[in-house]
Amino acid sequence: MSETLYERLGGEDAITAVVDEFYDRVMADEQVADYFDDVDMQKQRAHQAQFISSVTGGPVEYSGGEMKAVHADMGITPSDFQAIATHLNEALVEFDVNEDDREAVLEEIASYQEAIVTAAD
């Protein structure tokens, strides 16, 4: 049996480390940091790690809200979504995730773009 993407990423601890690096990058980016002004970042980081673990085939069920409902009033633009995806890719690079696995993670995230992006650039 082949390894899941979750396993290739290194499991829970590795994904949590990537998420921490990812949010460090996001919070340093003036373009997108404002989306998190009133957000409990400890909770947000835990939710994101849970979400990525879930969509990569881990033994984790995502318990957060439905994507469209959660992001409906945020006014996220395509360029904001792309900035976030770039930060995730860079965090994965930082942890030496190979290109095929990075692309697989980003494809999973991109499959939610229509539910997350609610505004035009």
Side-chain angles (χ1 to χ4, degrees), residues 26-103:
V26 167
M27 298 308 290
D29 182 346
E30 291 180 10
Q31 178 182 344
V32 293
D34 290 350
Y35 286 113
F36 301 94
D37 281 348
D38 297 320
V39 174
D40 176 340
M41 288 309 295
Q42 184 175 358
K43 184 177 177 183
Q44 179 66 26
R45 288 170 190 253
H47 270 289
Q48 188 70 9
Q50 183 186 55
F51 174 71
I52 291 175
S53 294
S54 176
V55 301
T56 58
V60 177
E61 188 170 326
Y62 179 65
S63 62
E66 194 275 322
M67 288 293 157
K68 193 166 191 78
V70 169
H71 296 91
D73 297 324
M74 295 180 72
I76 297 172
T77 66
S79 63
D80 293 337
F81 186 91
Q82 185 56 52
I84 295 286
T86 298
H87 291 309
L88 179 56
N89 184 58
E90 290 170 351
L92 291 164
V93 168
E94 182 77 20
F95 284 89
D96 298 321
V97 174
N98 72 51
E99 184 176 355
D100 288 344
D101 288 345
R102 288 194 321 267
E103 286 181 13

